Amino acid sequence: MSALRILVPVKRVIDYAVKPRVNKAGTAVETNGVKHSMNPFDELSIEEAVRLRERKSQPVEDILAFSAGPAKSQDILRTAMAMGADRALHIVEEKTELEPLSVAKLLQKVAEQEKSNLIILGKQSIDDDANQTGQMLAGLLNWPQATSASKVEVENDICTVTREVDGGVETLKAPLPMIITTDLRLNEPRYASLPNIMKAKKKPLEKKTMGEFGVSSEKRVKTMKVEEPAARQGGGKVEDVDGMIAKLKELGAI
């Protein structure tokens, strides 16, 4: 039974409680002066990696938190270490908002270099909602994958993942190495305690560049324009079912 070397990617995004605003140029969402935090799905991933260690069904040798982005991404890496990650790797990229394929290529290189045998990542980030990185990474590494996990068990080098599907639940089994993407029902992330926050400041945080991994940050998708969604129109009241049917016919809904 091999020890787990878990790689957990995390992303700095606009805090989930903040309402995004389009910038004045209409080219992107405004990020200046806006509160940022760790992507909620990535909090689940860190928590699940730490819980795997606590369950002791299979030994966990290392939990590495990874992020690619501006210098301020160090904040969420420190948070990840305060939650239980052993160390962190930061790929510093200030100028370009990385696309899923670039991140997947970076993760491929990191996983090979770190000899990771389990990668747990959020199914999507709440800024672009792409839901692509995990699947692309599985293709690049040619590893089995289980997406939108609501329960994860690892024992004797076999991962058992339960995921919710339209018709109920689905259980998947696959040998290590494996990629798992997390869904909201998986767990409840812990709060980082003050002692652990202080300890996290002493944990190793390594900084590297994309060039050191031979991965380009070139964008393949160009955003032409970003607009606020149209304001919802107010509803109307009807007296009875016949009135509702008449209104729906008037609107061409039936």
Side-chain angles (χ1 to χ4, degrees):
M1 183 167 61
S2 57
L4 294 175
R5 294 184 58 82
I6 307 175
L7 173 60
V8 186
V10 296
K11 186 178 182 181
R12 178 178 179 267
V13 298
I14 293 176
D15 189 86
Y16 71 92
V18 175
K19 181 181 179 181
R21 295 178 292 107
V22 177
N23 63 18
K24 292 181 179 179
T27 56
V29 171
E30 183 61 66
T31 57
N32 293 327
V34 178
K35 181 183 177 182
H36 285 67
S37 59
M38 187 189 301
N39 180 47
F41 290 101
D42 300 338
E43 290 182 342
L44 301 167
S45 303
I46 288 288
E47 176 66 26
E48 194 62 26
V50 175
R51 290 191 185 193
L52 286 172
R53 169 175 280 162
E54 293 171 346
R55 290 180 197 136
K56 299 180 181 179
S57 58
Q58 183 144 345
V60 175
E61 179 182 337
D62 181 61
I63 300 174
L64 171 62
F66 164 95
S67 191
K72 291 181 179 179
S73 298
Q74 292 181 42
D75 295 342
I76 64 166
L77 288 171
R78 291 293 179 193
T79 300
M81 289 189 285
M83 291 175 67
D86 300 310
R87 56 195 179 95
L89 172 61
H90 181 202
I91 307 301
V92 183
E93 177 54 53
E94 296 285 353
K95 297 180 180 179
T96 306
E97 180 69 25
L98 298 178
E99 295 176 348
L101 183 57
S102 297
V103 176
K105 288 181 176 180
L106 271 175
L107 289 170
Q108 177 193 15
K109 300 288 187 180
V110 172
E112 292 170 348
Q113 178 177 291
E114 296 290 338
K115 296 180 172 56
S116 304
N117 55 8
L118 180 62
I119 303 176
I120 307 176
L121 65 163
K123 69 172 185 177
Q124 65 195 78
S125 59
I126 62 171
D127 51 3
D128 59 20
D129 283 324
N131 194 353
Q132 296 174 347
T133 305
Q135 293 89 327
M136 289 178 171
L137 179 59
L140 291 170
L141 287 170
N142 196 28
W143 288 7
Q145 63 172 313
T147 58
S148 303
S150 59
K151 184 179 180 181
V152 174
E153 297 172 306
V154 183
E155 191 170 1
N156 297 322
D157 293 345
I158 299 295
C159 293
T160 303
V161 177
T162 302
R163 57 193 300 267
E164 295 183 358
V165 295
D166 291 341
V169 294
E170 180 179 64
T171 302
L172 306 174
K173 284 189 177 183
L176 295 174
M178 188 173 181
I179 292 169
I180 297 171
T181 72
T182 60
D183 205 353
L184 291 175
R185 295 187 187 274
L186 179 59
N187 59 50
E188 183 72 30
R190 68 193 66 191
Y191 287 102
S193 65
L194 182 58
N196 287 336
I197 291 172
M198 300 306 293
K199 290 177 184 177
K201 294 181 178 180
K202 297 181 180 180
K203 291 183 178 181
L205 194 161
E206 187 178 4
K207 298 179 187 177
K208 291 191 175 184
T209 64
M210 295 186 67
E212 292 179 68
F213 290 95
V215 177
S216 170
S217 61
E218 179 185 0
K219 295 182 76 68
R220 295 168 177 80
V221 177
K222 182 178 180 180
T223 301
M224 305 301 293
K225 191 175 182 181
V226 178
E227 295 179 338
E228 293 276 1
R232 294 182 64 179
Q233 296 180 351
K237 291 185 177 180
V238 294
E239 297 296 330
D240 50 29
V241 174
D242 291 337
M244 181 180 69
I245 293 173
K247 189 64 176 177
L248 290 173
K249 286 182 176 179
E250 179 186 329
L251 295 172
I254 56 174

